Amino acid sequence: MSKPRVAVVFGGRNSEHAVSLMGAGSVLDAIDRTKYEVIPIGIAQDGRWVLAASDQRFAIESGELPVVDTSGAALALPSGDSSLVAYDPGSIPVELGSVDVVFPVMHGPFAEDGTIQGLLEMAGVRYVGSGVLASAVGMDKAHMKTVMAAAGLPTGRYVVVRDRDWRIGRECVLKEAEELGYPVFVKPARAGSSQGISKASDRAELEAAVEAARQHDPKVIIEAAIVGREIECAVLQSLGDEPATASMPGEVRVEGGQDFFDFEAKYYPDQMSLTVPADIPQETAEELRAMAVRAFEALECEGLARVDFFYTPEGQVIFNEINTMPGFTSLSVAPQLWAASGLSYPALVDRLVQLALSRSPGLR
Ligand SMILES: Nc1ncnc2c1ncn2[C@@H]1O[C@H](COP(=O)(O)OP(=O)(O)O)[C@@H](O)[C@H]1O
Ligand SMILES: [Mg+2]
């Protein structure tokens, strides 16, 4: 029997391009090649799909972020029969055969937000992770909070600022936001890795923060600042009909002097620490794990997700966000939480591929 063919897709047309490459590098190192045939595929920053170049760089080197190298053969998007075609200008297209499962190790808009999932659904190709709806809602911090609040999870207070609101009703937006009380966190509604996020402590900072967030997304969310420790929990779908399970919760702490988890704190060496299990009361840990599973189910996630909370000095747990394709290097939080819970990174990668192979394409 031939080995299942797994296309590991990375890159993408958004500001988390480099983060995706770092995750894909880890997946490509860990995936069992005696069990799967692996095809690494890059999506360049301009949206072109290419077969990964043999010397593709995946890591940050001398502070320089990796990008998809476009010297590899161009690829046609998967068509109805889930086959890939490589073509180079002036040469005859090469049929690369069909793909059994796509592992999109990608984050952010046009990657983690239901768009690639939709493309793969249309092509009838199986893929790792959440489907179109969960991916799209999970990506949009405003819609995500609506779903979580409906599922009974406590969320902080916030104001959503759509493009039109800002263009023609700025004064009104600012007044509404100020009712949250300073400081506030201002974020692009659909981004990640803390890109475009700032903390604002007065009106001038608030206006600048909205403009900065709008560089990433015309839709912005302004949140009341929550004082609390940051506790994260990973959730994994089961292979059978059992409910999804939550990992041990872990605490992430900024160690580089940053005011909150910004991009540097997340991706540069020694800027953060992760403590697993988090040093919190046992009953809080259980409550948090149950909430993480509830968030996963409320969104109808598949595969893996990471659910992030604040734990306040008063002992309250507040939902911050869910990531349907969390940071996925072997040292990222979700893989580390699973490793501490007894599931190694290679085993986690294998589980995700098996989950994807075991589900049928189409409506589930
Ligand atoms: N409402 C808030 N109160 C306090 N800190 C926040 C708040 N929102 C975000 N942060 C800080 O900013 C970081 C990134 O915000 P988050 O919403 O998780 O965005 P991303 O999707 O980019 O990870 C958080 O990990 C936390 O450190
Ligand atoms: Mg986050």
Side-chain angles (χ1 to χ4, degrees):
M1 233 179 73
S2 64
K3 296 189 265 189
R5 304 182 89 208
V6 181
V8 176
V9 181
F10 54 86
R13 229 160 16 93
N14 66 53
S15 60
E16 288 183 279
H17 187 89
V19 177
S20 159
L21 266 74
M22 295 182 234
S26 282
V27 170
L28 290 167
D29 282 345
I31 195 164
D32 185 350
R33 287 165 198 266
T34 65
K35 200 166 164 186
Y36 306 111
E37 187 185 335
V38 179
I39 311 170
I41 296 174
I43 302 181
Q45 280 161 317
D46 62 6
R48 272 181 296 163
W49 289 46
V50 292
L51 261 188
S54 56
D55 57 352
Q56 171 69 55
R57 178 165 66 86
F58 290 100
I60 298 183
E61 267 171 33
S62 324
E64 207 170 309
L65 298 172
V67 292
V68 166
D69 173 346
T70 52
S71 64
L75 288 178
L77 298 179
S79 58
D81 60 356
S82 68
S83 61
L84 281 171
V85 179
Y87 62 94
D88 277 313
S91 67
I92 299 166
V94 183
E95 172 69 64
L96 293 177
S98 66
V99 167
D100 296 299
V101 57
V102 168
F103 194 150
V105 193
M106 296 201 289
H107 315 286
F110 315 113
E112 183 189 1
D113 63 345
T115 48
I116 189 166
Q117 290 78 10
L119 182 82
L120 296 169
E121 291 287 351
M122 290 189 75
V125 184
R126 293 173 168 85
Y127 54 93
V128 167
S130 287
V132 174
L133 181 81
S135 301
V137 177
M139 192 73 240
D140 185 312
K141 288 182 163 54
H143 281 291
M144 168 172 75
K145 284 184 202 282
T146 309
V147 171
M148 295 308 164
L153 294 176
T155 58
R157 290 176 309 130
Y158 63 94
V159 169
V160 180
V161 188
R162 294 186 178 81
D163 181 43
R164 185 172 171 277
D165 306 334
W166 188 246
R167 284 188 292 103
I168 65 173
R170 179 187 290 227
E171 203 47 42
C172 202
V173 167
L174 291 169
K175 267 179 66 187
E176 211 189 329
E178 284 179 333
E179 278 165 24
L180 298 170
Y182 287 114
V184 289
F185 276 82
V186 183
K187 316 175 180 180
R190 296 157 294 190
S193 295
S194 297
Q195 307 222 42
I197 298 186
S198 23
K199 188 176 174 179
S201 299
D202 58 37
R203 182 169 276 220
E205 283 181 12
L206 173 59
E207 289 200 66
V210 173
E211 293 295 355
R214 281 167 55 83
Q215 298 293 313
H216 293 259
D217 189 345
K219 182 174 174 184
V220 171
I221 183 166
I222 304 176
E223 298 180 9
I226 294 165
V227 176
R229 292 157 65 189
E230 294 192 52
I231 315 285
E232 309 190 343
C233 195
V235 180
L236 190 57
Q237 191 186 353
S238 74
L239 261 171
D241 287 326
E242 293 79 41
T245 48
S247 71
M248 275 181 203
E251 176 171 6
V252 292
R253 253 192 309 256
V254 173
E255 303 290 355
Q258 298 89 341
D259 201 17
F260 63 94
F261 268 96
D262 62 9
F263 187 85
E264 278 71 32
K266 285 177 176 173
Y267 298 106
Y268 285 84
D270 309 321
Q271 305 292 297
M272 68 167 282
S273 64
L274 169 67
T275 310
V276 202
D279 184 14
I280 53 176
Q282 184 62 30
E283 71 221 43
T284 308
E286 288 313 320
E287 179 194 350
L288 212 135
R289 294 177 71 208
M291 279 178 156
V293 171
R294 201 176 335 146
F296 188 92
E297 284 173 351
L299 211 58
E300 295 179 23
C301 290
E302 293 169 275
L304 173 81
R306 199 191 73 229
V307 189
D308 301 346
F309 300 92
F310 295 107
Y311 177 53
T312 71
E314 298 76 39
Q316 207 196 347
V317 175
I318 298 173
F319 168 85
N320 176 34
E321 64 156 347
I322 185 165
N323 294 282
T324 53
M325 186 47 77
F328 207 68
T329 73
S330 55
L331 299 176
S332 298
V333 174
Q336 288 290 313
L337 291 173
W338 277 115
S341 309
L343 191 67
S344 70
Y345 186 72
L348 178 62
V349 168
D350 190 61
R351 166 82 78 90
L352 291 174
V353 174
Q354 287 299 321
L355 279 166
L357 281 169
S358 70
R359 85 185 188 204
S360 51
L363 297 179
R364 295 179 284 280

